[in-house]
Amino acid sequence: MLKLCSFIEISPLTKKETDLAFKTKNPDFEDALQYFSAMSVDCDYIITRDPKHFKYSTKPVMSGEEFLNLYNENL
C-alpha cells in the first residue's frame, strides 16, 4: 500500500465537481463524481471496473489489472 501511495494522488470532491456531475450525460452519478474529481487534478487514467460509465472520458479508461500491467511494463 505504501508503494501505491507513492505514485497516486487523492483528488478532491468539492461543490464544483458535484455540480458538474449533476449536469453530465453520465447515467451513474457516483461515477460522474469520480470522473470530475479526477479531472480536477488532471489525472492520467481512469481506473474502474465499469468502463461503460466513462465513455465520455477525455482520459484513457482501463481496469485495475490493465493499469498494473501498463505500470509494470514501464518499470
Side-chain angles (χ1 to χ4, degrees):
M1 189 59 102
L2 188 58
K3 187 173 183 177
L4 176 66
C5 290
S6 72
F7 66 90
I8 65 167
E9 182 176 344
I10 306 300
S11 58
L13 183 58
T14 67
K15 182 176 180 341
K16 178 182 175 184
E17 290 80 34
T18 303
D19 288 344
L20 289 167
F22 277 121
K23 296 174 185 174
T24 188
K25 294 178 184 178
N26 189 325
D28 188 291
F29 180 68
E30 289 83 5
D31 286 344
L33 288 172
Q34 292 172 26
Y35 175 76
F36 288 109
S37 177
M39 293 300 102
S40 75
V41 294
D42 193 29
C43 74
D44 295 320
Y45 306 98
I46 300 292
I47 302 168
T48 181
R49 290 180 294 165
D50 194 6
K52 70 180 183 240
H53 287 168
F54 293 91
K55 67 181 178 183
Y56 300 108
S57 178
T58 58
K59 302 290 183 164
V61 178
M62 62 187 70
S63 69
E65 182 179 356
E66 290 169 324
F67 175 76
L68 289 174
N69 288 336
L70 178 68
Y71 180 76
N72 286 329
E73 288 173 9
N74 292 315
L75 284 180

